[in-house]
Amino acid sequence: MRKKIIAGNWKMNKTPSEAKALVAEMIDKVANAACDVVVCPTAICIPGVLDAVQGSNIKVGAQNVHFKESGAYTGELAGNMLKEIGVDYVIIGHSERRQYFGETDETVNLRTKAAIAAGVTPIVCVGESLLEREQGITAETVCRQTKVAFLEISADDAKNVVIAYEPVWAIGTGKTATADQADEVCGIIRDTIKDLYGAEVADAIRIQYGGSMNAANAEELLAKPNIDGGLIGGASLKAEDFSVIVAAAK
Ligand code: 13P
């Protein structure tokens, strides 16, 4: 049985004081969660949020990590920096990073390896655009993204990586993939992992769905056999909505 994992991707929202207040509001509401609970604030909010969640079941994730350990990479953050302050997860290859910041399948692979080397669990994002879905190349797209992301990663490490399936057309649009559509593609991703590593890793790896998941649709999505959690954008900025999603992840 895979333990479900609900992560909030706060994107570029909340100042440091607002971030602390938001997570403080969440602590009691998610205290009895049956799943892993993660919040991913902006980098500057992470120390305050880490302080606020001490002693609770909420873990903290970053929204990106660089692939080098240190050096002349202005504006970037290294895995050992995240690790040292207590960050447990990092989102890698989110479609917004691919779309606006030149992230490619190759840099996703490099960042995933860097996170693993630093001891931070990657949440690797894959997903097709609307054009790719309409062209009938959804499977091909997520298969390629997954295969490149896992290049040179051992089976032992792969098992602990979290994959987030986020169809680009469903992000922030209010258009959710139907539970069957989401489950189908998560199944394709799991089959891809099976091709790469065999059944044991494919059965162990956790695959989240992300894209307009909210308090009203979470239960149906999370009931699907191949969906092991959610990566939540907008609805993770409201403590009440986020806690309803967490409660649906049994
Ligand atoms: P929304 O939940 O706002 O659609 O965002 C999904 C997402 O991109 C999470 O990473």
Side-chain angles (χ1 to χ4, degrees):
M1 264 291 269
R2 296 180 291 268
K3 190 174 187 192
K4 286 194 166 42
I5 174 167
I6 300 294
N9 174 10
W10 292 1
K11 307 190 181 185
M12 198 177 73
N13 294 293
K14 304 291 170 188
T15 65
S17 60
E18 289 168 350
K20 277 175 86 162
L22 175 59
V23 82
E25 208 188 325
M26 287 176 175
I27 289 173
D28 284 349
K29 294 185 193 294
V30 303
N32 297 319
C35 62
D36 289 332
V37 182
V38 184
V39 295
C40 305
T42 58
I44 201 169
C45 296
I46 288 176
V49 169
L50 277 167
D51 269 355
V53 299
Q54 266 192 35
S56 81
N57 58 332
I58 300 179
K59 303 286 186 199
V60 177
Q63 296 178 12
N64 196 12
V65 63
H66 191 59
F67 31 87
K68 295 286 187 185
E69 280 175 26
S70 63
Y73 302 99
T74 303
E76 291 291 326
L77 284 169
N80 62 355
M81 300 170 187
L82 298 174
K83 183 70 185 174
E84 186 179 304
I85 62 166
V87 170
D88 287 307
Y89 293 88
V90 59
I91 299 169
I92 295 173
H94 190 278
S95 65
E96 287 147 18
R97 301 240 24 115
R98 295 179 191 252
Q99 187 179 351
Y100 304 125
F101 302 103
E103 197 83 61
T104 65
D105 293 343
E106 286 74 18
T107 57
V108 169
N109 172 247
L110 293 172
R111 292 183 204 274
T112 303
K113 288 190 284 192
I116 291 169
V120 179
T121 301
I123 300 176
V124 176
C125 302
V126 299
E128 81 287 3
S129 66
L130 185 58
L131 205 71
E132 287 161 337
R133 176 160 283 264
E134 287 174 349
Q135 267 307 73
I137 55 169
T138 297
E140 204 176 313
T141 303
V142 298
C143 189
R144 187 202 70 240
Q145 291 171 335
T146 304
K147 282 188 172 166
V148 179
F150 281 82
L151 259 173
E152 296 171 345
I153 291 172
S154 72
D156 269 354
D157 287 332
K159 225 185 280 181
N160 298 316
V161 171
V162 177
I163 299 175
Y165 166 54
E166 298 206 317
V168 179
W169 49 271
I171 295 175
T173 57
K175 275 189 210 156
T176 325
T178 65
D180 285 335
Q181 278 175 326
D183 188 53
E184 183 193 3
V185 183
C186 289
I188 291 167
I189 295 166
R190 200 176 300 287
D191 286 344
T192 306
I193 293 294
K194 192 173 171 188
D195 285 349
L196 292 174
Y197 297 105
E200 197 193 324
V201 176
D203 285 344
I205 205 163
R206 297 187 290 178
I207 304 176
Q208 299 172 311
Y209 168 76
S212 302
M213 197 192 265
N214 58 40
N217 61 26
E219 196 166 353
E220 193 191 353
L221 287 158
L222 292 167
K224 290 290 172 188
N226 278 304
I227 302 178
D228 306 315
L231 185 56
I232 325 296
S236 73
L237 296 169
K238 295 182 198 119
E240 182 59 33
D241 288 14
F242 188 64
S243 70
V244 171
I245 299 169
V246 166
K250 297 184 207 92

